[in-house]
């Protein structure tokens, strides 16, 4: 398998995984956004009206972007949008760690109703979340990088 085919496969798997996670996380937040509400409340420098917009729209944005990402539709818009979502999650994880926010971010629904994905990936603020979101950000960055850039060093 040449390098370009391997990278295309990695990008495809990353796209589906990231999209499925957005779909799942968004769905859980639509069902119960209590943990999301509590974690957004910790961000003191965001105005109240913007917090309300984030809490009300984030789950729907996650589901729309996630679904379009899984099915690879509107990729020129959706892949950068997914990158921005995962970038903001990464920054929020760093902010939460630095600010000493304790508890659950609401990433995968209410922690009391823990799902298998939520239990595996965790939603607690800390280094685990920063590393997890960093990996997701790298995967999302891979999606927006053209194959010719990734294949530049292969000499093919």
């Amino acid at each position: 398998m040449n390098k370009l085919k391997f990278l295309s496969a990695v990008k495809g798997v990353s796209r589906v995984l990231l999209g499925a996670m957005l779909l799942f996380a968004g769905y859980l937040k639509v069902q119960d956004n209590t943990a999301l509400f509590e974690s957004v409340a910790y961000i003191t420098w965001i105005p109240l009206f913007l917090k309300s917009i984030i809490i009300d729209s984030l789950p729907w944005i996650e589901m729309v972007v996630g679904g379009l990402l899984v099915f690879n539709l509107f990729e020129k818009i959706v892949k950068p949008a997914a990158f921005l979502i995962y970038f903001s999650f990464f920054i929020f994880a760093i902010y939460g760690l630095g600010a000493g926010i304790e508890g659950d971010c609401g990433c995968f629904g209410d922690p009391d109703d823990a799902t298998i994905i939520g239990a595996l990936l965790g939603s607690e603020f800390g280094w685990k979340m920063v590393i997890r979101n960093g990996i997701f950000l790298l995967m999302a960055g891979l999606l927006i990088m053209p194959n010719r850039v990734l294949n530049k060093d292969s000499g093919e």
Side-chain angles (χ1 to χ4, degrees), residues 29 33-46 54 58 87-109 111 118 121-133:
K29 287 181 192 118
N33 69 355
T34 306
L36 174 64
F37 178 83
E38 291 171 358
S39 63
V40 171
Y42 278 108
I43 309 172
T44 56
W45 48 269
I46 294 180
I54 291 169
L58 180 62
F87 179 74
S88 64
F89 290 167
F90 180 67
I91 296 300
F92 184 58
I94 292 171
Y95 173 79
L97 178 66
I101 298 175
E102 295 181 9
D104 192 272
C105 70
C107 302
F108 298 105
L121 296 176
S123 295
E124 297 270 329
F125 283 98
W127 281 108
K128 181 179 177 182
M129 179 190 284
V130 172
I131 292 168
R132 178 198 71 196
N133 287 353

Side-chain angles (χ1 to χ4, degrees), residues 6-62:
F6 176 75
L7 289 173
S8 292
V10 169
K11 285 175 78 169
V13 169
S14 296
R15 178 181 51 77
V16 171
L17 283 174
L18 292 173
M21 280 191 290
L22 285 175
L23 267 170
F24 185 67
Y27 172 76
L28 291 175
K29 287 181 192 118
V30 165
Q31 299 302 313
D32 182 11
N33 69 355
T34 306
L36 174 64
F37 178 83
E38 291 171 358
S39 63
V40 171
Y42 278 108
I43 309 172
T44 56
W45 48 269
I46 294 180
L48 188 58
F49 79 92
L50 192 54
K51 288 180 184 181
S52 179
I53 291 170
I54 291 169
I55 292 165
D56 292 339
S57 63
L58 180 62
W60 297 103
I61 291 170
E62 286 178 327

